[in-house]
Amino acid sequence: MQARRASRELALILFSQFDKVISKYSTEDFNEILLKSVRILTNNASNDLKLTVGPLIDMKQYLDEYENDHETNLSRPIGVSNVPVPLPMTSDLKQKIDELLEISEKALMALEIAEFTTLENTADVQAYTMKIANEYKKHHEEVDKQIKEFSIGWDFDRLIKVDKDIMRIAITELMYIEEVPHKVVVDEAVELAKKYSTEDSSSFINGVLAKVIHENGIK
């Protein structure tokens, strides 16, 4: 995982913890919340990995029953061990595998982010996360104004918080952290929306960010 991608994901978790006006937070508050965010990530990763046990047991049971009930083994003498049988890739089995892969991917990503933020040679992740938070704190009124202006047909106060936070992070990068390629910022904002919100949200966020880029002449 790239360091900037880890920073954005960590920033989203950081933003989700804000429960008051952003200007009231200090750098020390950000650091404290950041530490809690890492703990949340590692705890979630641990829980996700534990959740894989149930589906794995179900899959093992499914395979055992399929093997036992296969005509090849039903015709064998009682007491004789089963022999392996061909297994069709049913949609049910595919779904179980997809669930396991999704859980495992989330868990591994969370562990990678936690590792990025704790190893000395990857301090850039924490630094960039803090840069996003501090730049948003300085420019939060303008950032939120951009969201309100380009969320056509939507009431700002009724937008899903995670969607607003994803846009806050992306717009902060686009407008106030100039060294970041805008295509990367938009693509990763869309990916965050797909992971933490809905597919509709990802399309909506992509549209808002495109307008921000166009109207502000961002190159």
Side-chain angles (χ1 to χ4, degrees):
M1 176 185 289
Q2 295 180 349
R4 289 286 173 88
R5 183 181 177 190
S7 296
R8 293 180 183 102
E9 183 135 2
L10 195 56
L12 181 59
I13 296 173
L14 174 63
F15 277 43
S16 73
Q17 305 300 304
F18 296 154
D19 58 2
K20 56 187 177 183
V21 177
I22 188 70
S23 58
K24 294 183 180 179
Y25 287 93
S26 65
T27 300
E28 290 73 22
D29 291 330
F30 287 155
N31 280 318
E32 183 179 348
I33 297 172
L34 191 62
L35 178 59
K36 290 179 180 178
S37 298
V38 174
R39 287 174 180 161
I40 289 171
L41 275 171
T42 53
N43 287 337
N44 286 345
S46 176
N47 290 334
D48 283 345
L49 287 172
K50 289 175 183 176
L51 285 174
T52 63
V53 174
L56 281 171
I57 291 173
D58 290 343
M59 187 177 294
K60 176 65 166 57
Q61 184 177 352
Y62 172 85
L63 294 173
D64 286 342
E65 290 176 355
Y66 185 88
E67 186 179 73
N68 289 335
D69 295 338
H70 195 275
E71 59 182 13
T72 301
N73 288 310
L74 287 175
S75 62
R76 288 170 64 79
I78 297 175
V80 177
S81 299
N82 287 337
V83 295
V85 297
L87 181 67
M89 284 299 292
T90 65
S91 59
D92 180 57
L93 189 57
K94 284 184 180 180
Q95 183 178 354
K96 290 180 182 296
I97 293 173
D98 287 341
E99 289 173 1
L100 289 173
L101 288 173
E102 183 178 354
I103 293 172
S104 299
E105 183 181 351
K106 288 181 179 179
L108 288 172
M109 185 176 293
L111 290 172
E112 283 181 352
I113 294 170
E115 182 182 21
F116 264 119
T117 56
T118 54
L119 295 178
E120 290 183 7
N121 62 347
T122 53
D124 287 349
V125 171
Q126 183 171 347
Y128 193 70
T129 303
M130 294 297 293
K131 185 171 185 177
I132 292 172
N134 281 310
E135 288 298 324
Y136 175 67
K137 177 182 176 180
K138 285 191 289 185
H139 304 286
H140 66 277
E141 291 182 353
E142 179 59 30
V143 171
D144 283 1
K145 179 183 176 183
Q146 295 283 315
I147 298 173
K148 292 173 184 176
E149 183 174 350
F150 299 120
S151 298
I152 300 171
W154 290 86
D155 182 344
F156 177 82
D157 293 327
R158 300 187 67 177
L159 287 173
I160 302 171
K161 187 178 188 302
V162 67
D163 290 354
K164 285 193 284 191
D165 288 341
I166 291 171
M167 288 188 284
R168 284 164 171 161
I169 291 167
I171 293 170
T172 297
E173 288 190 275
L174 290 170
M175 297 184 66
Y176 305 108
I177 307 178
E178 296 179 354
E179 72 270 19
V180 187
H182 65 75
K183 185 179 186 306
V184 173
V185 173
V186 174
D187 287 349
E188 295 203 2
V190 169
E191 289 304 312
L192 284 174
K194 288 179 180 177
K195 180 176 180 181
Y196 290 105
S197 194
T198 67
E199 192 165 333
D200 289 341
S201 292
S202 65
S203 299
F204 168 68
I205 288 171
N206 184 59
V208 171
L209 296 181
K211 291 172 185 173
V212 170
I213 291 169
H214 177 73
E215 294 298 326
N216 289 279
I218 297 172
K219 304 293 185 181

